[in-house]
Amino acid sequence: YRLLPALQQIYNSFTQLTFASPSIDRLYNDLNNLTVYDNDQEKNILAFNKEIILNDINFNYPNTSRTALKNINLSIPINSTVGLIGPTGCGKTTTVDIILGLLIPQNGTLQVDGKVITEQNSKAWQRLIGYVPQQIYLSDDTILANVAFGVEHKNIDQDMVKKVSKIANLHEFVTKELPQQYETIVGERGIRLSGGQRQRIGIARALYHNPKVLILDEAT
């Protein structure tokens, strides 16, 4: 009787480990592959001075019979603005994911200034892109760190943070309404901020690295 509670705890812990281990293994492998992937592409430099071309793009998601994209041809010149509109399920997000280099089409090519984007040079292409998703992820850190997301604090360009915050109409709110200004902690997932201010941080974040291409999901 005295051993039974301890045995139950052991069984419960073993069950939790068994349940979590596949996810941990997958995450571990992903992180290892990302490290190798980044190192392989570190020397790749991609220029974008003319246009983005989607040439006869076809894409099917795995285990589905429905074609997501069929014979898509699109040219986007530099310094132009393009909006993708249409009903749900028409392929807007899939098209954007292919432009982002997140999806590789089964047929056709994504070209930047005539150069085909592949798995080998996709990281170089993504370094030229700023992306604003519908749902902005904010870490429980300062506004400064969330705008320069992923940059070590000692390497943050504070002048650039202020510049992009002004573009995103965030600077005045930060300097006049927050007691610690850019050092203010936003809380878990930005709980201390309104939805509009979280969105502005997302826009400023996308602009921080001065991207050549800016993509906004559900911009309206």
Side-chain angles (χ1 to χ4, degrees), residues 61-80:
Y61 286 101
N63 303 320
T64 59
S65 57
R66 184 174 176 273
T67 301
L69 297 176
K70 185 176 181 181
N71 300 330
I72 299 297
N73 291 280
L74 178 64
S75 175
I76 305 175
I78 196 170
N79 297 327
S80 64

Side-chain angles (χ1 to χ4, degrees), residues 54 62 82 109-110 136 140 169 178 220:
L54 276 68
V82 174
T109 56
L110 167 66
I136 307 297
D140 190 7
N169 290 328
L178 298 180
T220 54

Side-chain angles (χ1 to χ4, degrees), residues 91-127:
K92 303 186 298 295
T93 299
T94 304
T95 302
V96 169
D97 286 346
I98 287 175
I99 294 173
L100 287 168
L102 299 176
L103 297 177
I104 303 297
Q106 280 87 14
N107 299 101
T109 56
L110 167 66
Q111 300 177 23
V112 177
D113 287 0
K115 189 168 185 176
V116 176
I117 302 302
T118 64
E119 291 184 3
Q120 284 67 42
N121 62 6
S122 62
K123 189 66 177 179
W125 166 234
Q126 289 165 352
R127 280 197 290 266

Side-chain angles (χ1 to χ4, degrees), residues 7-155:
L7 290 172
Q8 288 177 329
Q9 289 180 351
I10 292 171
Y11 177 75
N12 182 57
S13 298
F14 178 77
T15 303
Q16 290 181 3
L17 287 170
T18 303
F19 178 79
S21 62
S23 299
I24 294 172
D25 290 340
R26 190 164 185 175
L27 180 61
Y28 176 80
N29 291 331
D30 283 349
L31 290 173
N32 278 342
N33 290 336
L34 280 174
T35 302
V36 175
Y37 194 66
D38 288 345
N39 289 340
D40 288 344
Q41 297 199 28
E42 194 63 36
K43 296 181 181 179
N44 289 342
I45 298 175
L46 197 67
F48 175 42
N49 300 304
K50 297 179 182 178
E51 61 182 348
I52 303 167
I53 295 177
L54 276 68
N55 184 33
D56 287 332
I57 295 291
N58 289 271
F59 184 83
N60 288 346
Y61 286 101
N63 303 320
T64 59
S65 57
R66 184 174 176 273
T67 301
L69 297 176
K70 185 176 181 181
N71 300 330
I72 299 297
N73 291 280
L74 178 64
S75 175
I76 305 175
I78 196 170
N79 297 327
S80 64
T81 302
V82 174
L84 301 180
I85 60 173
T88 300
C90 70
K92 303 186 298 295
T93 299
T94 304
T95 302
V96 169
D97 286 346
I98 287 175
I99 294 173
L100 287 168
L102 299 176
L103 297 177
I104 303 297
Q106 280 87 14
N107 299 101
T109 56
L110 167 66
Q111 300 177 23
V112 177
D113 287 0
K115 189 168 185 176
V116 176
I117 302 302
T118 64
E119 291 184 3
Q120 284 67 42
N121 62 6
S122 62
K123 189 66 177 179
W125 166 234
Q126 289 165 352
R127 280 197 290 266
L128 303 180
I129 299 175
Y131 178 63
V132 183
Q134 291 185 51
Q135 300 294 329
I136 307 297
Y137 171 77
L138 298 180
S139 62
D140 190 7
D141 207 334
T142 64
I143 288 180
L144 185 75
N146 272 288
V147 172
F149 192 70
V151 179
E152 289 189 39
H153 193 276
K154 63 181 180 181
N155 296 327

